[in-house]
Amino acid sequence: MNAQIVEMELFDTDVMREDGPTILNLPVDATLEDVFHAPICPDLRDLFRRTLNGPLTSEKRGELTIRQTLENPELAPKWIGALIALNAHAAASNTIGDAVQLERHLAHPTDQIASVCLPLNVPGRMWCETQIAPADGPALGAMAVIDLDAQDNVRSARLILTGLGSVPVSINGSLKQLNGQPLTDDTINAVAAAVVQEVAARGFSVKGATDQLAEITRAAFKTCRKGDCSQTN
């Protein structure tokens, strides 16, 4: 297969410049098994392997391409959610000069996508992928990403939830209160409460698991604060 997953330099492009000097280029013709075994940094490798595991067996990963998961995110919702949270872009070529945010592409898909580009070496970036199983209903998953500025205040924050439906759900309004603020227990608790309200306002049902939704949000952002990019239980 010619679809090689490689790290590339950004050079002089303005696209994602603030996110560091390199990207991970994921050609859409690569399979999920290619992604699973790609020679990438340990933290990202572990994240990909967690989110591509479970129902996605090695045989299934070998059959599915990245393109197919972009066309049908329910095939790999946790992995697609992780890409969105990490601010991945969809590009019509391998140069990313014409790239758009992956979330925007998924909302308005086109056939002209050659690769998914994931920014690496982002200053101040921390993340956490975790899940919790309510007593009744499907497991809830959360992928939280925090980018801190030089003063350790939140520059940007993203949260993607899985288990609310067949595809990842991006939480937006609730996180705005974090911008420019330090990541403290108070700000995390406020965001957790706001996430529960936003999920309900958007018509999603957590089948009585509102406490679990708040808990998983708090756990994800508190793990982000530790900076260990690990999964919590």
Side-chain angles (χ1 to χ4, degrees):
M1 176 177 291
N2 294 325
Q4 294 184 340
I5 297 172
V6 295
E7 184 174 339
M8 300 172 58
E9 292 189 19
L10 284 179
F11 298 109
D12 293 328
T13 180
D14 288 331
V15 180
M16 300 193 295
R17 174 173 290 173
E18 69 178 27
D19 289 328
T22 61
I23 60 167
L24 183 67
N25 187 70
L26 303 168
V28 294
D29 292 331
T31 68
L32 297 187
E33 188 71 355
D34 293 330
V35 175
F36 196 85
H37 293 290
I40 55 181
C41 64
D43 287 339
L44 195 57
R45 177 199 63 207
D46 292 346
L47 173 66
F48 280 1
R49 290 186 175 183
R50 285 200 306 272
T51 54
L52 288 173
N53 219 327
L56 286 170
T57 63
S58 176
E59 181 179 5
K60 189 66 174 178
R61 290 193 301 265
E63 297 172 353
L64 289 175
T65 65
I66 294 174
R67 185 187 302 278
Q68 289 172 313
T69 63
L70 297 182
E71 294 172 347
N72 301 282
E74 66 272 13
L75 294 174
K78 292 175 64 178
W79 185 64
I80 293 294
L83 293 179
I84 295 172
L86 290 168
N87 199 27
H89 283 56
S93 67
N94 291 332
T95 64
I96 78 165
D98 52 2
V100 299
Q101 284 188 308
L102 181 59
E103 185 174 14
R104 179 181 170 189
H105 166 74
L106 294 175
H108 305 283
T110 70
D111 296 330
Q112 306 301 317
I113 296 302
S115 63
V116 172
C117 303
L118 187 66
L120 302 177
N121 309 318
V122 181
R125 172 158 293 182
M126 299 173 290
W127 74 69
C128 172
E129 183 276 331
T130 186
Q131 67 177 12
I132 188 171
D136 181 27
L140 294 172
M143 176 70 192
V145 178
I146 289 287
D147 295 340
L148 299 179
D149 62 20
Q151 288 73 46
D152 286 336
N153 293 323
V154 176
R155 178 166 56 89
S156 66
R158 286 177 291 279
L159 177 67
I160 307 296
L161 300 175
T162 55
L164 299 177
S166 60
V167 298
V169 175
S170 181
I171 300 299
N172 299 308
S174 303
L175 304 189
K176 292 180 180 178
Q177 61 188 293
L178 285 177
N179 292 339
Q181 301 298 317
L183 200 60
T184 65
D185 284 345
D186 287 341
T187 56
I188 290 173
N189 289 335
V191 164
V195 166
V196 172
Q197 293 179 355
E198 181 174 340
V199 168
R202 291 172 59 179
F204 294 103
S205 173
V206 291
K207 299 181 179 180
T210 54
D211 289 344
Q212 288 90 342
L213 181 56
E215 179 184 344
I216 197 172
T217 301
R218 285 192 296 267
F221 282 120
K222 285 183 178 180
T223 301
C224 281
R225 185 174 60 188
K226 296 176 184 176
D228 57 9
C229 296
S230 66
Q231 182 181 27
T232 59
N233 298 308

